[in-house]
Amino acid sequence: MNLLHNLFNVKKSTIDGCCELIPNVFEDNRGSFVKVFHDDAFANIGLENKFVEEYYSKSFKGVIRGLHFQIPPEDHVKLVYCISGSVFDVVVDLRVGSPTFGQHDTFNLNADDANMIYIPTGMAHGFCSLTGSSTLVYKTSTTHDPACDSGILWDSVGIEWPEKVPILSNRDKSFSEFKSFKSPFSC
């Protein structure tokens, strides 16, 4: 039996290795049910299937978080999805030698569609909350390491953010611009 077919559809990103996973949403008179992860299904299509940490962020409308990543040796794969509200999600390719180096792709994640973004290592990730309150869940293949935690400036790669005057953390305001970033990632 094809586990992938039963769980979700895969929509490739313009960035190699990154993809949108669109799960089956089972609805009835009680509400809905969504399976977001299955070890064998991920392995079957070549996606990382060993996640060691999971956390979530809650953001108000107009908040931009990002563009974040962890550098080696604690770089990680991320699986992100929105369980309440809606977000404009962004992935930026930081892999030197990649045909899409420095390019980005955008996705609309929301609780109703239950869609997810699979983000390989060597990518920066960020999002903008589009609703009064949005909750984004992150599964990662390594644990958070403050010494390896990094980012690039949110407005330095040509992203058309839906919020022109966002709410940002001081940390996110202080990241270097992409043009000054010396990437430790390669293809």
Side-chain angles (χ1 to χ4, degrees):
M1 180 186 330
N2 184 342
L3 292 172
L4 174 62
H5 177 73
N6 292 328
L7 296 179
F8 44 74
N9 292 313
V10 178
K11 183 179 173 187
K12 291 187 177 188
S13 166
T14 58
I15 297 174
D16 189 42
C18 182
C19 61
E20 181 177 6
L21 303 174
I22 305 163
N24 292 316
V25 178
F26 301 96
E27 296 180 298
D28 63 20
N29 63 335
R30 300 166 297 166
S32 62
F33 178 85
V34 177
K35 186 179 284 194
V36 298
F37 175 76
H38 188 283
D39 184 71
D40 290 339
F42 271 53
N44 185 42
I45 58 171
L47 300 181
E48 176 67 50
N49 63 343
K50 300 299 179 207
F51 293 99
V52 299
E53 190 168 51
E54 183 174 84
Y55 43 94
Y56 69 89
S57 63
K58 184 175 180 179
S59 302
F60 302 116
K61 184 175 181 165
V63 167
I64 290 180
R65 293 182 188 259
L67 298 161
H68 303 148
F69 52 91
Q70 282 199 168
I71 60 171
E74 296 300 328
D75 49 325
H76 55 221
V77 169
K78 285 183 184 176
L79 179 67
V80 299
Y81 53 97
C82 187
I83 59 170
S84 73
S86 177
V87 302
F88 173 83
D89 202 82
V90 179
V91 177
V92 180
D93 190 347
L94 302 177
R95 300 168 299 177
V96 175
S98 167
T100 54
F101 175 73
Q103 295 178 28
H104 65 273
D105 201 356
T106 64
F107 310 87
N108 289 308
L109 300 180
N110 64 75
D112 291 336
D113 292 338
N115 55 332
M116 303 170 279
I117 306 302
Y118 177 87
I119 306 166
T121 61
M123 309 278 168
H125 172 254
F127 67 92
C128 177
S129 178
L130 300 173
T131 54
S133 179
S134 300
T135 303
L136 198 70
V137 177
Y138 314 71
K139 291 174 102 51
T140 59
S141 62
T142 64
T143 57
H144 178 255
D145 183 343
C148 293
D149 198 26
S150 192
I152 56 173
L153 195 60
W154 67 280
D155 64 350
S156 66
V157 290
I159 298 164
E160 291 288 329
W161 292 98
E163 184 64 47
K164 302 306 176 206
V165 185
I167 302 166
L168 298 160
S169 71
N170 287 334
R171 176 177 173 258
D172 287 354
K173 291 178 193 176
S174 71
F175 287 135
S176 298
E177 290 188 5
F178 176 74
K179 66 182 178 183
S180 304
F181 174 65
K182 304 294 183 224
S183 182
F185 305 107
S186 62
C187 267

